[in-house]
Amino acid sequence: MPDVLEARLLATVSRLAGPIRGAGVVLISLFGAFSLNSPLGWSLFAAVAVSTVADFRLPRVALPVAFLRVVVLSVVLGAGADQWVLTVLTTTLITWQWQWPPKVSVPATAALLAVQVVTTGPGVLVRAVLESVLARLSYELLRRSSRKVDLLRERAAEQSRAAAIALDQGRREREYLALLHDTAAATFLMAAHGGDPEEVAAQARRDLVVLAERGNAQGTVDLGAALTAVARDSAVHVRVEAEVVPVPAGVALQFVRAARELLTNVERHAGTTEADLTVTRARGAVVVIRDGGRGFVPAEVPEHRRGLRGSVVGRLEAAGGTAVVESGPAGTTARLEWTAGD
């Protein structure tokens, strides 16, 4: 988040510095003209009043105009009206610190003080330098304070966002638990009471689809258990070695469909009735399906045959994973991988 308050506050101070200087110089010069009460004093007051147009309306030339204004007062009045000149000088130097950065204000301040020393003597240095330094310090303190306020506002906004995300996540979890109760819990109950294995397997597949599609893939499924059920339901005799691998329901659904397609291909094309299936956990999930059939050449599979490309590779890629199928005379190996996000 950008430093909104700091930028706005400093822009406002910079914008008001010119008018403040102009109004202050006019008021000071009015009192100075009254104190002199001479044609020269009133002429200088008129010239000062005209010059403040730059402070109010022409910020790009305000600095050189203010510089010349102080120089003219110093040269014309000299030591005869030192308070008038000194007050205009310090007002100018203070507002310069608010309006321009140090790379501009410091050289201009040094040049103006040098002129003052030449025209009126070194007596102005202590007060002018002290007030200039204090003005710059007050500006920097204001800048740091506004920056701290911006940081506090940013942290408060982050905490509000985190609270909103936690609230939404809690709502989603409650909805998912209710969905889980209506699907998987009922299937477990059916299995516990000796339900028909084929009906239980079919119901479990339907539950997985519902959890993935309606649950917005927020819940997790044990991929090892899901693929063990697929192997048990296959016409091929599958030797299974499966770890407990929790993955999002949507990812599990893609693995289940891809594994079912691969086992169907073994049944139809491999010339063997056996296969091996392993499920391991490694920063996600790794599933390997092997058979010792006659194999094939993947590059020679016709384009219109979409089984491997669409039902295996495409599904894993859609879930954010990868699928690699290697085949030869010694058999076929399919490696399906999915890496969990941070």
Side-chain angles (χ1 to χ4, degrees):
M1 179 186 293
D3 297 333
V4 177
L5 179 62
E6 178 187 359
R8 290 181 178 177
L9 186 60
L10 297 184
T12 301
V13 171
S14 178
R15 186 173 63 252
L16 293 178
I20 290 173
R21 180 174 56 252
V25 166
V26 168
L27 186 61
I28 293 166
S29 298
L30 179 62
F31 284 110
F34 268 116
S35 65
L36 289 180
N37 197 20
S38 65
L40 176 62
W42 289 110
S43 298
L44 288 174
F45 169 75
V48 167
V50 172
S51 70
T52 58
V53 173
D55 298 306
F56 285 95
R57 311 290 293 182
L58 304 171
R60 292 188 177 182
V61 298
L63 190 146
V65 169
F67 187 97
L68 291 175
R69 181 169 56 214
V70 176
V71 171
V72 169
L73 288 175
S74 301
V75 171
V76 174
L77 296 175
D82 56 341
Q83 287 301 316
W84 182 355
V85 176
L86 181 58
T87 309
V88 171
L89 170 66
T90 55
T91 301
T92 301
L93 295 180
I94 289 171
T95 53
W96 275 359
Q97 313 310 314
W98 300 345
Q99 191 169 10
W100 286 285
K103 65 180 180 180
V104 175
S105 62
V106 170
T109 299
L112 189 56
L113 289 176
V115 172
Q116 286 300 115
V117 170
V118 172
T119 56
T120 62
V124 301
L125 280 178
V126 175
R127 177 180 169 182
V129 171
L130 180 61
E131 292 189 4
S132 299
V133 171
L134 291 176
R136 173 55 60 180
L137 289 176
S138 64
Y139 179 87
E140 293 299 328
L141 287 174
L142 180 66
R143 181 175 184 176
R144 291 187 179 184
S145 299
S146 60
R147 185 175 301 171
K148 289 182 179 179
V149 172
D150 274 323
L151 291 175
L152 291 175
R153 290 174 59 187
E154 182 177 354
R155 290 174 184 172
E158 289 178 353
Q159 292 175 353
S160 298
R161 286 193 297 269
I165 291 173
L167 183 64
D168 182 67
Q169 184 176 0
R171 177 185 61 80
R172 289 176 178 270
E173 288 177 353
R174 289 191 298 271
E175 292 177 353
Y176 189 80
L177 287 174
L179 181 65
L180 192 65
H181 176 272
D182 295 338
T183 54
T187 303
F188 293 152
L189 186 62
M190 182 190 303
H193 285 77
D196 181 72
E198 293 185 359
E199 292 182 3
V200 173
Q203 181 64 37
R205 287 193 295 270
R206 288 192 292 270
D207 291 345
L208 185 58
V209 173
V210 171
L211 289 172
E213 295 178 351
R214 291 181 55 195
N216 195 26
Q218 294 298 316
T220 57
V221 172
D222 178 8
L223 183 61
L227 293 184
T228 298
V230 172
R232 189 183 302 118
D233 195 40
S234 174
V236 178
H237 175 65
V238 183
R239 292 178 292 272
V240 179
E241 293 183 10
E243 298 178 0
V244 176
V245 183
V247 298
V251 175
L253 180 62
Q254 301 304 327
F255 268 102
V256 165
R257 289 174 172 171
R260 187 182 298 121
E261 177 68 23
L262 289 168
L263 292 176
T264 299
N265 287 345
V266 172
E267 176 192 354
R268 294 177 179 175
H269 308 297
T272 182
T273 58
E274 296 183 348
D276 297 306
L277 186 150
T278 60
V279 184
T280 55
R281 180 177 183 175
R283 290 199 64 214
V286 178
V287 176
V288 178
I289 298 177
R290 295 187 181 91
D291 70 72
R294 54 177 167 260
F296 66 97
V297 180
E300 295 180 358
V301 177
E303 288 292 331
H304 67 275
R305 300 285 296 274
R306 301 290 299 171
L308 288 177
R309 296 187 184 91
S311 300
V312 178
V313 177
R315 279 175 176 155
L316 264 294
E317 289 178 350
T322 59
V324 178
V325 179
E326 298 178 345
S327 186
T332 300
T333 300
R335 183 181 179 88
L336 315 179
E337 294 188 46
W338 175 81
T339 302
D342 293 334

